[in-house]
Amino acid sequence: MVKLLILGTGNMANSHATAFKAIPGVTLVAAVEIDPARRAAFGKEHGITNLFGSLEEAIAWGQFDAAANVTPDAVHYDTTMKLLAAGKHVFCEKPLATDYPHALEMAETAEAKGVINMVNLTYRNSPALQKARELVSAGKIGAIRHVEASYLQSWLVGKQWGDWRTESRWLWRLSEEHGSKGVLGDVGVHIVDFASFGADSAIQTVESRLKTFHKAKDDQIGEYKLDANDSVVMMTEFANGALGVITATRFATGHANDLSLTLYGTEGALEVKTDGKASSLKICAGADIDTQTWKTVDCPPVPTTYERFIKACNSGINGDPSFRRAAEIQRILDLCFDQDVARGKKIG
Ligand SMILES: NC(=O)c1ccc[n+]([C@@H]2O[C@H](COP(=O)([O-])OP(=O)(O)OC[C@H]3O[C@@H](n4cnc5c(N)ncnc54)[C@H](O)[C@@H]3O)[C@@H](O)[C@H]2O)c1
């Protein structure tokens, strides 16, 4: 039995509420939201009666075991530290923090407190990624030599998610002053985790290049200076010795939200694809190597991050991806941002 509190009741909180409610033994006991109208609507929608305007009030009330932190990125650190101090298990949205030192402090604090600490890296829910990792770990493709991973979106080209030129929910994502860290800050955490989890190896070094393209007159629309990165290319070396290229862009015309990972080993290769809803896995191994024949691999369903968090709360054994894992990824992203600053930024 897990009594869960949801912190922040914006868009993504609905996915959390729906997913957690469907898990046997979970009760959504409370929600915290600073916006009164959103708080009331969320309570009504999900049948939650204990509604609080601040986390402090909810902690003083105290009648919950665990919290799902679904606040904006910059709020994760402060709120999670308060939950940890109160001895609560925490399932935090990605990115865990906005920089490595904060993410590391969160991981160390959670570990010292002995509470369950996990991050919602949703693409771990892809059966194809989990199966690929299993095959890599079992040695089915030998030693990995080369990795290609990409996260492709095209909302700066197509209008499938609305018009970025006129809608504030997209414009803020293009502007550093408005809290955006560009495509790297938004989805970099997903694709770095996807690549290194699939390859079953940590990323040790990275050399990266970020680019902000000229998109509007004077690179400004209304109050929004369009200075956040639109594309990133990383060259990486993994702990297992493999070299890799990881890319992410909002200019991938023809792709709404596609992740792909290809792992090339000495005895075979694997190709993982997902759009966040369905996933697929292909393998080229054994005699097929000589004819470059790729075969589809069946991938059984896997538990979601939400289910694994509840399992961890019930068992007392922490699950993956943990805060420490998220901090490791944050370290890689910080290196990319530092290299960008050192290079001197220009738009165009
Ligand atoms: N894992 C994924 O695939 C995925 C997908 C979408 C969003 N996210 C993440 O989820 C988080 C939330 O994103 P969103 O799109 O729901 O944002 P949102 O802006 O729609 O919702 C955030 C809510 O938190 C509230 N809030 C802010 N500060 C608060 C505080 N101190 N206490 C209580 N409530 C507070 C805001 O008022 C807002 O209602 C972000 O970190 C985002 O990166 C993850």
Side-chain angles (χ1 to χ4, degrees), residues 62-130:
Q63 293 169 43
F64 61 102
D65 309 308
N69 190 343
V70 206
T71 57
D73 302 1
V75 182
H76 294 172
Y77 168 76
D78 199 40
T79 48
T80 295
M81 292 302 278
K82 285 179 182 151
L83 287 162
L84 296 177
K88 306 297 182 187
H89 304 306
V90 183
F91 182 67
C92 189
E93 260 307 337
K94 64 83 201 167
L96 180 58
T98 50
D99 60 38
Y100 175 61
H102 276 157
L104 185 63
E105 189 186 337
M106 291 160 86
E108 286 173 346
T109 306
E111 288 165 9
K113 279 277 177 185
V115 294
I116 300 303
N117 56 93
M118 289 179 64
V119 176
N120 194 24
L121 292 170
T122 30
Y123 295 99
R124 292 284 191 100
N125 300 342
S126 312
L129 179 70
Q130 296 286 343

Side-chain angles (χ1 to χ4, degrees), residues 317-333:
I317 299 165
N318 204 32
D320 186 45
S322 64
F323 280 15
R324 188 157 290 269
R325 165 70 182 179
E328 274 169 30
I329 294 165
Q330 195 73 49
R331 185 181 73 82
I332 302 299
L333 299 190

Side-chain angles (χ1 to χ4, degrees), residues 56-288:
E56 287 76 5
E57 282 173 68
I59 288 175
W61 170 73
Q63 293 169 43
F64 61 102
D65 309 308
N69 190 343
V70 206
T71 57
D73 302 1
V75 182
H76 294 172
Y77 168 76
D78 199 40
T79 48
T80 295
M81 292 302 278
K82 285 179 182 151
L83 287 162
L84 296 177
K88 306 297 182 187
H89 304 306
V90 183
F91 182 67
C92 189
E93 260 307 337
K94 64 83 201 167
L96 180 58
T98 50
D99 60 38
Y100 175 61
H102 276 157
L104 185 63
E105 189 186 337
M106 291 160 86
E108 286 173 346
T109 306
E111 288 165 9
K113 279 277 177 185
V115 294
I116 300 303
N117 56 93
M118 289 179 64
V119 176
N120 194 24
L121 292 170
T122 30
Y123 295 99
R124 292 284 191 100
N125 300 342
S126 312
L129 179 70
Q130 296 286 343
K131 185 72 183 174
R133 155 93 165 205
E134 192 186 303
L135 294 173
V136 167
S137 308
K140 296 284 187 219
I141 62 167
I144 299 180
R145 295 291 191 232
H146 195 85
V147 177
E148 273 180 7
S150 64
Y151 195 133
L152 305 177
Q153 296 186 330
S154 61
W155 56 268
L156 286 174
V157 187
K159 293 199 179 67
Q160 61 273 20
W161 294 344
D163 187 351
W164 64 268
R165 292 171 190 83
T166 56
E167 295 177 26
S168 59
R169 69 193 171 116
W170 298 115
L171 282 165
W172 82 261
R173 288 181 159 84
L174 302 173
S175 180
E176 289 183 357
E177 266 173 22
H178 287 79
S180 176
K181 289 191 154 194
V183 71
L184 179 59
D186 191 19
V187 303
V189 59
H190 282 304
I191 194 63
V192 168
D193 178 69
F194 201 79
S196 114
F197 180 77
D200 191 14
S201 186
I203 292 174
Q204 284 198 320
T205 63
V206 61
E207 286 166 64
S208 81
R209 185 77 193 253
L210 310 188
K211 180 133 187 179
T212 307
F213 290 91
H214 174 61
K215 298 185 285 296
K217 188 169 173 290
D218 300 327
D219 301 305
Q220 180 103 21
I221 294 182
E223 66 186 274
Y224 300 93
K225 184 171 167 50
L226 307 182
D227 56 356
N229 60 84
D230 304 311
S231 276
V232 55
V233 178
M234 301 176 212
M235 292 188 296
T236 57
E237 183 158 3
F238 291 75
N240 62 14
L243 281 189
V245 181
I246 301 176
T247 60
T249 182
R250 295 167 168 170
F251 274 110
T253 308
H255 294 272
N257 191 60
D258 291 332
L259 287 80
S260 86
L261 170 66
T262 314
L263 303 162
Y264 300 98
T266 50
E267 291 168 42
L270 290 163
E271 183 192 80
V272 184
K273 287 191 184 292
T274 181
D275 60 2
K277 298 181 193 97
S279 70
S280 66
L281 177 64
K282 285 184 186 165
I283 188 166
C284 173
D288 290 338

